[in-house]
Amino acid sequence: MNKNMDMATKIAKKVSEKGGRTFFVGGYVRDELLKIETKDIDIEVHGIDVDCLVDILESLGNVQKIGASFGVFNLKGYDIDIAMPRKEISNGRGHRDFEIYVDPFIGYEQAAIRRDFTINSMMKDILTGEIIDPFCGIEDLKNKKLKHINDISFCEDPLRVFRAAQFASRFKFEIDKGTIKLCSSMDVSSLAFERVFEELKKALLKSTEPSIFFTSLKEMKQLSFWFKEVEDLIGIEQSKIHHPEGDVFTHSMMVLDEAAKLKDEAENKLSFMLAALCHDFGKISTTKLRKGKLTAYGHEVESVNLAHEFLNRLTNKISLKKEVLNLVKLHMKPNQMYNTSKKKSMMKLWDDAIHPNDLILLAKADSLGRGIDKDYSEIEMALRASLKDYEELMKEPEVSGKDLIELGLKPGVQFSEYIKLGHKLHLSGLSKEDILKHISNNIKKNQDI
C-alpha cells in the first residue's frame, strides 16, 4: 500500500472512531471500476463536523487548509484531497461563481447530486469497500454511457460541456441524448481559458481517439466560441485524388487519431498533438478551385497565423506555442523532401525544427490520416536516416567566437553574422578548417574594401 492509500485508511479509521464514514469519491471510484490506474485520491468525510475533522487531520500531519471555508483540506507531503459534503449554489455565470455550504450530515444522495455525471457520483467506503451508487453509475459504466445527474446543478457549471466531451473521448463512451441537448443550451463564453485548455489537454493526452472530443462538441454545437478554427474546417473540400477521406475536418480528425498512436514517441506530447490538430487550419482561407482542381497553396503559412490566434485564445505558455507553430510551419516539408531534395536541404530542415523527431511523427500522422496510406515505414526510415546524419554532423566542431578572434576579428556586430555563416556552411557539409578559410578570405576581402 502506498503512503497516500495508507494515510487515507488512517483518516478513515479515526473518522470511524468519531462516528463518521470516509469514502473514496469521484474519479477514483470510476477509474478503479474501469481498471484504470489513477494517482488522484479524493476522499469525502461524512457524519462529523469540520472542527472534528481538522482535529483528526492535525493529529496525523501538517494540515493544508486549501479551502477550509468550504471544507477542503490536504496534508503536507500527501497527494490526497480531503473534502466534506457540501451544497453549491450558482450566483453568477463563471466556473467559480458559487456559494458553497458545508453540511457533513447532508446524506449520501444529496452529497452526490452536485457531481456532474453518474459515473463520477459513486462513493466507496474506505474501510468496508461498500459502494454507494445513488444514480446508477455502475450500470452506466457497463453500458459505456455518459449521463448527467441533475438538470439544474449540471447547468450551473458550463465547464461540464467540455468535461462531457473529454470523458467521451477518453473512455469512448456515448453521451446521453438528454445530456447532449442540455450541453447545447449552455453558454460557455464566460469560462476561464485555463479551464477549457485543461479539458482539451486531457482529451489530447489521455484519449486513444481524441477526435471524439471534437465530434462530441460538434454534435453539441459548442465548437464556435473556443474552437472556431476547428469548426471552420467543416465542409472545406479537398482533392478527392489526394484526400478521398472527405473534407478538411474529417482529415484533421483522422490525423489527430493517428497522432494519438504516436504521441508516446514524441519529445513533447502536447505540442505534437496540438500541431496535429492545427496543421491544416490554413486550408480554411487558401482552398481554391483552379482550372477544375482544388488546391490549397501556401496553406502551411496561413495555418501558422490561424494556429497562433487559436493558441492565444487557450494558453499563455510561450514555449508551447513556439513549438506548435514550428511544427505547423514545417509539417509539409518532410514528405515533400523525401527522395526529392539534396542533403543540404534536409540538413537545413532538421536544423529549423525545434523537435525534428516530432516533425517526422507529424508528417507520418498527416500521411496516414488520409485513409489511403497503409505503410509509412519506407519514408520514415529514409527521414530518420537523414536525421541521424544531421545529428552526427552536429557532433562535429563548429566555428566559435574564439576562432574568429584568432582570425583577427574584434567582437562586434560582425561576430554573430560570421557565426551564422559558419553554421550555414557547416550544414552544407564543409569541415571547420575549410569554413575558417572561407571566413578568413571573407574578412580580408572586406578589409581591402
Side-chain angles (χ1 to χ4, degrees):
M1 184 182 290
N2 65 39
K3 72 171 190 174
N4 292 320
M5 291 294 292
D6 185 45
M7 179 54 72
T9 303
K10 286 180 181 179
I11 293 169
K13 285 178 179 178
K14 285 187 173 288
V15 168
S16 179
E17 289 170 3
K18 298 295 183 180
R21 292 181 76 181
T22 309
F23 299 89
F24 292 120
V25 293
Y28 181 87
V29 184
R30 176 200 70 218
D31 289 352
E32 185 178 62
L33 291 172
L34 289 172
K35 294 180 172 55
I36 296 172
E37 185 178 349
T38 180
K39 295 179 181 178
D40 297 327
I41 298 179
D42 295 333
I43 66 176
E44 193 168 81
V45 178
H46 289 246
I48 61 171
D49 61 32
V50 176
D51 290 340
C52 184
L53 175 61
V54 171
D55 288 342
I56 289 170
L57 295 178
E58 286 179 343
S59 74
L60 293 169
N62 186 350
V63 180
Q64 310 288 303
K65 299 179 180 180
I66 57 176
S69 62
F70 44 89
V72 179
F73 308 89
N74 63 24
L75 291 171
K76 187 174 181 180
Y78 293 89
D79 191 14
I80 310 172
D81 282 345
I82 307 155
M84 302 200 83
R86 60 190 188 267
K87 296 178 182 178
E88 295 177 353
I89 301 175
S90 174
N91 61 7
R93 296 173 64 236
H95 176 69
R96 301 180 186 274
D97 295 330
F98 291 95
E99 291 183 29
I100 298 171
Y101 304 91
V102 176
D103 187 349
F105 308 97
I106 195 174
Y108 306 135
E109 183 172 331
Q110 286 302 306
I113 202 170
R114 70 180 177 82
R115 299 191 180 275
D116 46 14
F117 305 103
T118 61
I119 64 170
N120 294 331
S121 68
M122 296 170 287
M123 309 163 66
K124 180 182 177 181
D125 189 300
I126 292 177
L127 298 180
T128 69
E130 178 190 0
I131 293 179
I132 294 174
D133 183 18
F135 301 107
C136 303
I138 293 176
E139 182 181 350
D140 287 338
L141 276 182
K142 289 178 180 176
N143 294 328
K144 296 189 174 183
K145 177 77 74 173
L146 192 67
K147 186 189 301 181
H148 72 282
I149 295 171
N150 178 274
D151 286 9
I152 295 173
S153 62
F154 187 84
C155 288
E156 287 175 347
D157 184 358
L159 187 69
R160 288 170 171 174
V161 168
F162 300 104
R163 282 175 63 79
Q166 181 252 121
F167 285 132
S169 179
R170 274 173 64 188
F171 304 130
K172 296 184 184 178
F173 279 18
E174 179 186 354
I175 304 176
D176 179 75
K177 295 299 180 186
T179 302
I180 288 176
K181 184 177 180 181
L182 207 56
C183 287
S184 299
S185 70
M186 294 165 69
D187 180 5
V188 298
S189 63
S190 63
L191 289 169
F193 69 86
E194 298 95 337
R195 302 298 308 217
V196 178
F197 186 70
E198 191 60 28
E199 298 307 313
L200 171 63
K201 182 178 173 181
K202 288 176 183 177
L204 293 178
L205 298 183
K206 295 187 176 185
S207 304
T208 57
E209 292 183 28
S211 62
I212 296 172
F213 178 80
F214 296 100
T215 54
S216 296
L217 292 176
K218 178 174 177 276
E219 189 174 3
M220 297 171 189
K221 298 179 174 58
Q222 288 286 14
L223 283 171
S224 58
F225 188 84
W226 291 100
F227 301 102
K228 178 182 180 297
E229 293 79 6
V230 178
E231 183 178 53
D232 287 346
L233 297 175
I234 299 170
I236 302 294
E237 294 184 16
Q238 304 183 99
S239 165
K240 288 183 171 56
I241 297 173
H242 300 293
H243 289 280
E245 72 277 11
D247 65 6
V248 183
F249 177 82
T250 301
H251 169 65
S252 296
M253 294 301 102
M254 291 175 69
V255 171
L256 199 58
D257 289 346
E258 290 293 339
K261 300 173 187 176
L262 303 170
K263 66 177 181 289
D264 288 340
E265 301 175 42
E267 293 175 56
N268 187 322
K269 295 179 185 180
L270 184 55
S271 62
F272 169 65
M273 292 302 296
L274 284 167
L277 174 65
C278 300
H279 78 284
D280 271 355
F281 280 178
K283 288 184 178 179
I284 296 166
S285 56
T286 60
T287 299
K288 307 288 182 187
L289 187 65
R290 294 179 174 89
K291 298 180 179 179
K293 294 182 180 180
L294 280 170
T295 62
Y297 296 137
H299 76 270
E300 63 274 21
V301 177
E302 186 59 20
S303 289
V304 172
N305 297 329
L306 291 176
H308 194 249
E309 291 179 20
F310 172 78
L311 293 169
N312 281 344
R313 190 182 308 127
L314 288 161
T315 182
N316 53 16
K317 295 178 180 178
I318 295 172
S319 61
L320 176 66
K321 289 188 277 191
K322 183 178 179 181
E323 291 180 17
V324 175
L325 298 178
N326 178 259
L327 285 169
V328 170
K329 178 182 178 181
L330 301 175
H331 81 270
M332 296 278 288
K333 291 188 179 294
N335 290 332
Q336 287 176 337
M337 289 184 174
Y338 166 69
N339 267 349
T340 62
S341 291
K342 296 179 180 178
K343 182 177 180 179
K344 181 180 176 181
S345 298
M346 294 299 291
M347 295 303 102
K348 185 178 185 309
L349 172 62
W350 306 133
D351 201 58
D352 287 342
I354 296 174
H355 296 306
N357 171 72
D358 295 5
L359 181 60
I360 292 174
L361 294 175
L362 180 58
K364 181 177 181 178
D366 192 17
S367 180
L368 296 177
R370 300 186 301 153
I372 54 176
D373 297 320
K374 304 298 183 184
D375 186 5
Y376 192 77
S377 58
E378 184 179 324
I379 300 174
E380 184 173 12
M381 193 179 301
L383 293 174
R384 292 203 176 280
S386 174
L387 177 56
K388 186 176 181 180
D389 288 343
Y390 168 77
E391 290 168 345
E392 291 299 318
L393 184 63
M394 289 302 102
K395 292 176 183 177
E396 296 177 9
E398 291 196 61
V399 172
S400 66
K402 182 182 177 182
D403 295 321
L404 296 179
I405 291 173
E406 289 177 356
L407 289 177
L409 194 68
K410 294 180 180 180
V413 178
Q414 284 184 308
F415 245 58
S416 61
E417 294 301 317
Y418 280 120
I419 291 291
K420 287 179 184 177
L421 175 61
H423 184 64
K424 182 179 178 181
L425 294 172
H426 182 68
L427 289 175
S428 69
L430 286 181
S431 67
K432 181 178 177 179
E433 184 182 358
D434 288 340
I435 293 170
L436 286 173
K437 286 180 182 178
H438 180 89
I439 291 175
S440 178
N441 291 335
N442 199 297
I443 291 171
K444 289 177 182 177
K445 187 188 299 182
N446 288 336
Q447 287 173 344
D448 291 340
I449 292 172

